[in-house]
Amino acid sequence: MPDDAEIRSLLARLAHLADSGDLEAYLALFTSDAAWVIPAIPQTGVAASERRGVAEIEAGVGERRAAGVQGPGSNTMHVVTTTAVDVSGDEAVAVSTWMFIADTTAAPRVQAVGRYRDTLRRTPDGWRLARREITAG
């Protein structure tokens, strides 16, 4: 599979697992030193934060799931689209547009939108997310 296709597939798996999947499988898609940078997103109640390393990223996911913002049972969905991928050796940058859909089972609506700027690294296990910078709006 070409690098850009593998990267697009990884980004899709991240979105699917964030919404309804296994947390261990989700975290396996990150490098051990990954960073997750998110601004405050008032529409979803998410506070600004910067998480470093898989344990901190896991804590952030746990907080969002406990608050019912995302994850199994939240009836929300991440949609990732218009992804542009630039590969340079064993590193890549992907820029994508995201939409966060709320109330997917009754009255689906776009609750927030923005962009992901993802830095990825090739590992012995394939491409993994090393840094995600999120912008809203």
Side-chain angles (χ1 to χ4, degrees):
M1 178 182 307
D3 290 332
D4 65 331
E6 187 176 339
I7 290 166
R8 289 172 201 278
S9 182
L10 173 90
L11 298 177
R13 280 194 307 277
L14 280 164
H16 293 204
L17 290 167
D19 294 331
S20 61
D22 175 80
L23 186 55
E24 187 175 319
Y26 176 80
L27 295 170
L29 300 177
F30 292 86
T31 62
S32 61
D33 63 345
W36 181 274
V37 183
I38 187 168
I41 304 177
Q43 302 93 324
T44 63
V46 171
S49 68
E50 183 167 339
R51 308 283 179 153
R52 294 197 173 272
V54 173
E56 286 188 20
I57 291 169
E58 180 178 18
V61 171
E63 290 168 10
R64 290 188 298 277
R65 286 184 174 192
V69 173
Q70 73 177 55
S74 67
N75 300 319
T76 61
M77 183 182 299
H78 291 80
V79 177
V80 181
T81 186
T82 60
T83 301
V85 178
D86 292 308
V87 178
S88 179
D90 289 337
E91 292 204 358
V93 172
V95 178
S96 307
T97 300
W98 60 265
M99 293 182 286
F100 185 72
I101 312 296
D103 202 10
T104 59
T105 59
R109 68 184 183 288
V110 176
Q111 189 170 17
V113 298
R115 292 208 196 298
Y116 293 139
R117 178 179 172 77
D118 295 324
T119 303
L120 302 107
R121 191 177 311 136
R122 189 190 319 267
T123 74
D125 297 320
W127 288 97
R128 295 295 181 261
L129 187 62
R131 181 176 181 85
R132 173 162 276 179
E133 297 176 51
I134 302 168
T135 58

Coordinates of all heavy atoms in Angstrom, one line a residue, residues 30 36 45 51 72 91 119:
F30 N -0.6 5.7 18.0 CA 0.3 6.8 18.3 C 1.7 6.3 18.6 O 1.9 5.2 19.0 CB -0.2 7.5 19.6 CG -1.5 8.2 19.4 CD1 -2.7 7.5 19.6 CD2 -1.5 9.6 19.2 CE1 -3.9 8.2 19.5 CE2 -2.8 10.2 19.0 CZ -3.9 9.5 19.2
W36 N -0.6 15.8 21.5 CA -2.0 16.1 21.1 C -2.3 17.5 21.6 O -2.3 17.7 22.8 CB -2.9 15.1 21.8 CG -4.4 15.2 21.5 CD1 -5.3 16.0 22.1 CD2 -5.1 14.5 20.5 NE1 -6.5 15.8 21.6 CE2 -6.4 14.9 20.6 CE3 -4.7 13.5 19.6 CZ2 -7.4 14.4 19.7 CZ3 -5.7 13.0 18.7 CH2 -7.0 13.5 18.8
G45 N -17.7 21.7 24.7 CA -17.3 21.7 26.1 C -15.9 21.2 26.4 O -15.5 21.0 27.5
R51 N -1.4 17.4 25.5 CA -1.0 16.2 26.1 C 0.2 15.6 25.4 O 0.4 15.7 24.2 CB -2.2 15.1 25.9 CG -3.5 15.6 26.3 CD -3.7 15.6 27.8 NE -5.0 16.1 28.2 CZ -5.6 15.8 29.3 NH1 -5.1 14.9 30.1 NH2 -6.8 16.3 29.6
P72 N -18.0 5.6 22.8 CA -19.2 4.7 22.8 C -20.3 5.2 23.7 O -20.1 5.7 24.8 CB -18.6 3.4 23.4 CG -17.2 3.4 23.1 CD -16.8 4.9 23.2
E91 N 9.0 10.5 7.6 CA 8.0 11.4 8.3 C 7.0 11.9 7.2 O 7.3 12.0 6.0 CB 8.8 12.6 8.9 CG 9.6 12.1 10.1 CD 9.9 13.3 11.0 OE1 9.5 14.4 10.8 OE2 10.6 13.0 12.0
T119 N 1.4 15.2 12.2 CA 2.8 14.8 11.9 C 2.8 13.3 12.2 O 2.5 12.8 13.3 CB 3.8 15.5 12.7 OG1 3.7 16.9 12.5 CG2 5.2 15.1 12.3

